[in-house]
Amino acid sequence: MASPRHLLKLSGALLLLCVGVCVARNSDFSIVGYSEEDLSSIDRLVELFEKWLAKHQKAYASFEEKLHKFEVFKDNLKHIDKINREVTSYWLGLNEFADLTNDEFKAAYLGLNAAPARRGSSRSFRYEDVSASDLPKSVDWRKKGAVTEVKNQGQCGSCWAFSTVAAVEGINAIVTGNLTALSEQELIDCSVDGNSGCNGGLMDYAFSYIASSGGLHTEEAYPYLMEEGSCGDGKKAESEAVTISGFEDVPANDEQALIKALAHQPVSVAIEASGRHFQFYSGGVFDGPCGAQLDHGVAAVGYGSDKGKGHDYIIVRNSWGAEWGEKGYIRMKRGTSNGEGLCGINKMASYPTKDK
């Protein structure tokens, strides 16, 4: 009977027939997670899988499951390598999602319920009269002390809560000078008017909850559980809540309006993040294939330009941990001449307001 390692080797031979040994221009192992040598033999391919398992602390219930995951890993590696040889503006890598099919990935890591019924509940846009000529050429709220460390939602469809919290942390830091990590878990447990915890939600509903409930407690006082809990669990009575006065929607499909808002504060945005290019994004200015069926809430925290390649971009903070993308961030191309923006980023942006 063939050994488990021998079966992995036989399985790996199929990938070698498809991929060959020519890998991406950006094939530095530290960036994309594999090298030309890893694709040069079945032994190296099996070794790569084992190293990837160790790095991401993966363990499976049976050898059959491991063999299945190796098949998925091979298929994803084939896709990653193919795109890296074709694309120059961004690159893909073997991140922690490399043993997930795209369907499995979508089921576990998204979670935006883009119900438009309450969009427009706040009709004003305070930055409407800001002149485009007065906008700075680039803004990075990370450098201005208005963005906390990248967080990880895990396998809970709570992206909407992380997007909301990032925007509230930002405006609170700008107004008060204090950068405080706030609680996504409180929103998951307590913001239930229109939101469904780990089964998805919408940032505007969460802003409404924060404005009407007396504020949001700190992450330390109300830590993240990666699952739904009872409202109030873990909340310390002595913990001070961060308040907002309300929220406003950025005019839909208007990139200039989004940039105006983003020049003044971090902004919650919704995008379509379900594609395989997005799943394995590792760096560069992303301009890959994606539609505008909004399924993921993230936070825009700045904008700028890649002077070397002439690409304008929006800096987006994700909630899949610091090992995804550019240490948890993605630079998404702007100026696409499409009103909806790349991956629909201009369709449904909003931001909290806070009185000074």
Side-chain angles (χ1 to χ4, degrees):
M1 181 177 177
S3 69
R5 187 174 181 87
H6 182 63
L7 289 174
L8 287 177
K9 289 181 180 180
L10 290 176
S11 182
L14 297 175
L15 178 67
L16 294 176
L17 290 174
C18 298
V19 175
V21 297
C22 180
V23 297
R25 285 172 293 276
N26 299 302
S27 59
D28 180 350
F29 183 86
S30 64
I31 298 175
V32 299
Y34 69 100
S35 66
E36 180 176 343
E37 289 74 18
D38 292 319
L39 300 178
S40 64
S41 72
I42 298 172
D43 283 340
R44 288 298 299 263
L45 189 60
V46 173
E47 184 180 348
L48 173 66
F49 182 56
E50 295 291 349
K51 286 181 178 178
W52 179 87
L53 290 175
K55 177 181 179 181
H56 296 285
Q57 299 181 325
K58 299 273 186 172
Y60 306 119
S62 66
F63 174 71
E64 288 74 21
E65 183 184 7
K66 184 176 182 180
L67 186 59
H68 167 68
K69 289 295 187 180
F70 181 61
E71 292 290 336
V72 175
F73 179 86
K74 283 192 312 167
D75 185 67
N76 285 330
L77 177 57
K78 175 184 173 183
H79 168 75
I80 289 167
D81 181 69
K82 178 178 182 292
I83 300 306
N84 283 343
R85 287 183 282 114
E86 295 174 350
V87 174
T88 60
S89 57
Y90 64 95
W91 52 93
L92 310 183
L94 284 174
N95 58 28
E96 66 174 303
F97 305 136
D99 66 342
L100 298 178
T101 67
N102 188 242
D103 286 340
E104 290 170 336
F105 165 74
K106 289 187 290 186
Y109 291 97
L110 303 177
L112 180 82
N113 292 339
R118 287 177 61 178
R119 291 285 299 169
S121 58
S122 63
R123 299 182 181 278
S124 60
F125 177 54
R126 63 184 55 204
Y127 305 120
E128 182 175 0
D129 295 330
V130 173
S131 172
S133 61
D134 292 334
L135 296 175
K137 291 184 178 180
S138 65
V139 169
D140 189 339
W141 287 107
R142 296 173 297 183
K143 297 179 180 179
K144 294 175 178 288
V147 183
T148 60
E149 295 294 319
V150 169
K151 303 179 185 183
N152 194 338
Q153 70 187 69
Q155 294 190 33
C156 166
S158 53
C159 59
W160 59 274
F162 284 82
S163 172
T164 301
V165 166
V168 174
E169 289 171 343
I171 192 62
N172 182 62
I174 291 168
V175 172
T176 69
N178 298 316
L179 180 61
T180 304
L182 301 176
S183 174
E184 292 84 10
Q185 190 67 42
E186 183 176 358
L187 293 180
I188 293 169
D189 296 347
C190 305
S191 177
V192 295
D193 183 11
N195 293 326
S196 302
C198 286
N199 292 312
L202 192 65
M203 289 78 81
D204 280 7
Y205 296 160
F207 289 140
S208 293
Y209 164 79
I210 297 169
S212 63
S213 67
L216 194 62
H217 289 78
T218 67
E219 184 177 52
E220 181 180 7
Y222 205 141
Y224 187 59
L225 301 176
M226 206 188 304
E227 62 183 8
E228 296 170 19
S230 299
C231 186
D233 282 358
K235 188 188 300 182
K236 296 178 181 178
E238 66 271 19
S239 174
E240 187 174 342
V242 167
T243 61
I244 59 173
S245 54
F247 73 94
E248 295 175 355
D249 294 330
V250 177
N253 304 324
D254 185 341
E255 182 177 272
Q256 192 63 54
L258 175 58
I259 296 302
K260 286 180 180 181
L262 194 49
H264 292 84
Q265 64 184 100
V267 177
S268 288
V269 294
I271 58 175
E272 180 181 299
S274 54
R276 290 181 85 186
H277 289 239
F278 208 94
Q279 179 178 348
F280 297 113
Y281 167 81
S282 186
V285 178
F286 183 75
D287 60 355
C290 57
Q293 299 299 313
L294 307 179
D295 54 26
H296 191 48
V298 289
V301 298
Y303 62 87
S305 300
D306 184 342
K307 296 180 180 179
K309 296 183 178 180
H311 294 152
D312 296 334
Y313 56 80
I314 294 174
I315 305 168
V316 172
R317 177 180 129 157
N318 205 347
S319 52
W320 295 340
E323 291 189 6
W324 180 88
E326 295 182 329
K327 296 182 179 179
Y329 292 85
I330 180 171
R331 287 177 291 159
M332 299 182 64
K333 186 177 180 180
R334 60 186 171 98
T336 61
S337 73
N338 177 0
E340 295 178 339
L342 184 68
C343 304
I345 195 171
N346 301 334
K347 287 181 68 176
M348 202 175 72
S350 56
Y351 53 88
T353 58
K354 184 177 178 70
D355 299 329
K356 294 184 179 181

